[in-house]
Amino acid sequence: MDFEILKNSDVRYGLGVSPGIAIGSVFIYGKPFFKISLRKITDENITAEIARFHLALKQAKEDILKIKGKVSTDLGEKYAFIFEAHSLILEDPKIIDNTEKIIRENNSCAEYAFEKVLNGILKTIEFLDNDYLAERVIDIKDVGQKVLNYLLETDIPNTLSELRISALIVARDLMPGDTASLEKEKVKGLVTELGSYTSHTAIIARAMEIPAVVGVKNISTSLQFGDKIILDGKKGLVIVNPSDEVIKHYENLQKKHLEKKKYLLSFTKLPQKTVDNKTIHLRANIESVDELKLLAEYGAHGIGLFRTEYLFARGRKFPSEETQFEVYKKTAQLSKDYSSIIRTLDIGGDKIDIIEGMPQEKNPFLGWRAIRFCLTNTDIFKTQLRAILRASAFGNLKIMFPMISSIEEMTTAKVIIKEVMKDLSESGIEYDANIPIGTMIEIPSAVLIAESLAKVSDFFSIGTNDLIQYTLAVDRGNERVSYLYNYLHPAVLKLIKQTIEVGKKTKTPVSVCGEMAGDPVGALLLIGFGVRDLSLNPFAIPIIKEIIKNVNSVELEKLIQNITDFESTEEIEGFVRSKLKDYFKMID
Amino acid sequence: MKEETIIIKNELGLHARPAAMLVKLSTSFDSEVELEVNEIKVNAKSIMGVLMLGANQGTEVIIRANGDDEEQALKEIKQLFEDGFGEK
């Protein structure tokens, strides 16, 4: 039926990674990825260079006025005034005179001179320490980028990172630093050209319950600001400038989707117990203090994974001990009945690359990230540990180290914790001296030495996302190979099973965090392997509860006990389809 | 040259929208127009300059105009401040 109604529409296809339907105007978001260097010009070309500068100003101004007109008609005059200010920046005598001066006196190309003037203004604003002006930095950068685009003859999208209106964000790619600053009320949906089901854009979109489609070719360059689109985050469709009939059809679908969501939410209060009365703890994966409210809302038993790197991304610099302490303290105070696992900074890889001084690496996933970064930056590491330990006096916190690949990393990290504890004791500051310290199992080497790691770990938590990626050597963000990324690969299931068995043998509690735990099939397999502690996206908790309610753990364990004997992903998929479908048909 | 001293009345002060209005109006005159707040002087035709004053409600601003149409410029700019930049 969808195909019938869409037959005259401009439909683009991608991968739906966060369900839901969004309808609205697009906002094209981007980042500059070039550096401007000084190109010297000859004396006789100075006049021409200044003329080129004025032409770029004029072109940029025309663009802005066009947007202004469109916003004014679409949304009203009120929203358009900012573009008035934007166009005035381009007429600013201070900016124009100073740029011309640099071109003349330094024989500089226009782009270099203009950028220099712009940066000077931005520096002055920083120095003024005025909050309102600090917010205007984004406007100035945005306008500046437009001029630079003309001067450099590039067509790089705008640098606007602050939305003032509710829109659908379209981008080539979104970095975790970008998604961290998204505000739910202002983002109706996300569309990117790159990415996969497990890339961070997708994870964040699902966490924020924003419909999202990734992997849509050329979408950011082929749309104009203000174009209207419909996004279907389940089917992976983007419909450009749809007809009224199509809009009406999708408005109905949107309504139905919201009703279904409401229905699922009614499972929130279900107990986390199987038919045979086994408790399965469902905990939440979160990344910010704002998400703490979701614990009660979705009925989570504490936090199984607090990804602290997003605290670091938000401020664009390392947060102070006090800032971190406040966040962890709030977390601890909510963790009286259950515990919460704080994972120390996992910077690097595809995570955060915006912190100054972080080198660009050829192979960031295999590079200086997570615990490796922390063990060399002990100041940053100790600040975080101090904040967590101080907070541990207020509730049940646990500490977990990411990216552990050897026993030495674990023992060194523990030595550092002991040092911090000693400092705290000497200053008479309270903390939980018996705070559990665990290992995140996400590198195949850690699975293979799990028995040794168990001796220095109070618990294990299997991070399936990275474990799959490192086991199968697949970059989950690379759409050419992301089809290989699958937890049903026999090697992945074997590693998970092996970790769980080591846990049983050594009496080390094993939990699982990562997308697999929030996926109905994944959760069933994990429960069948004997895991009683899953950490997942809070929004997925009601569905998994509804599934658990109908599970007999003994039967399930028996049913899948030989699943790792299959030789291929395909066979396992076939087995899962035929044997497990009864468990989750009611939620489909 | 003519000058006048006024107090900013509107709630938002010289934020983007009022600043833009002021710059547009100033630019429509041939005279040079200058604003002074706490001894900081800026060109009233420069949006960056006006914004950087960061002037809030209640701030004292000296407006100076110098040129053939200085009288008219001063009168209209003063009026804009008096009207609170059309807020409310």
Side-chain angles (χ1 to χ4, degrees), chain A residues 160-179:
Chain A
L160 260 180
S161 61
E162 192 188 57
L163 274 178
R164 288 175 195 79
I165 48 172
S166 176
L168 278 125
I169 297 186
V170 174
R172 190 173 139 74
D173 195 13
L174 290 169
M175 296 292 123
D178 303 325
T179 44

Side-chain angles (χ1 to χ4, degrees), chain A residues 309 318 345-349 351-352 355 358 368-370 373:
Chain A
E309 53 277 7
F318 291 110
L345 182 60
D346 184 0
I347 200 171
K351 300 272 169 50
I352 310 295
I355 287 164
M358 280 297 283
W368 193 42
R369 62 177 284 203
F373 174 87

Side-chain angles (χ1 to χ4, degrees), chain A residues 484-514:
Chain A
L484 290 169
Y485 179 94
N486 190 337
Y487 63 74
L488 293 178
H489 191 294
V492 175
L493 293 181
K494 276 183 187 169
L495 289 172
I496 292 172
K497 216 174 157 184
Q498 193 176 330
T499 310
I500 296 163
E501 275 156 16
V502 171
K504 277 181 196 154
K505 193 172 149 195
T506 59
K507 299 203 161 52
T508 310
V510 177
S511 56
V512 177
C513 55

Side-chain angles (χ1 to χ4, degrees), chain A residues 68 77-78 81-82 84-85 88-95 121-122 124-125 128 130 132-133 136 139-140, chain B residues 14-21 23-24 27 40 42-43 45-56:
Chain A
K68 185 188 161 201
E77 196 94 35
K78 204 163 81 177
F81 91 86
I82 195 69
E84 179 82 48
L88 285 172
I89 293 175
L90 296 175
E91 292 169 31
D92 195 306
K94 196 169 160 167
I95 292 177
I121 292 172
L122 295 174
T124 316
I125 290 177
L128 284 174
N130 173 323
Y132 179 74
L133 272 180
R136 298 280 74 77
D139 297 319
I140 298 163
Chain B
L14 285 181
H15 275 197
R17 182 194 173 91
M21 290 170 83
V23 170
K24 276 188 90 171
T27 311
I40 297 169
V42 300
N43 181 348
K45 296 180 183 181
S46 159
I47 182 100
M48 293 318 309
V50 174
L51 278 176
M52 277 197 216
L53 282 177
N56 300 322

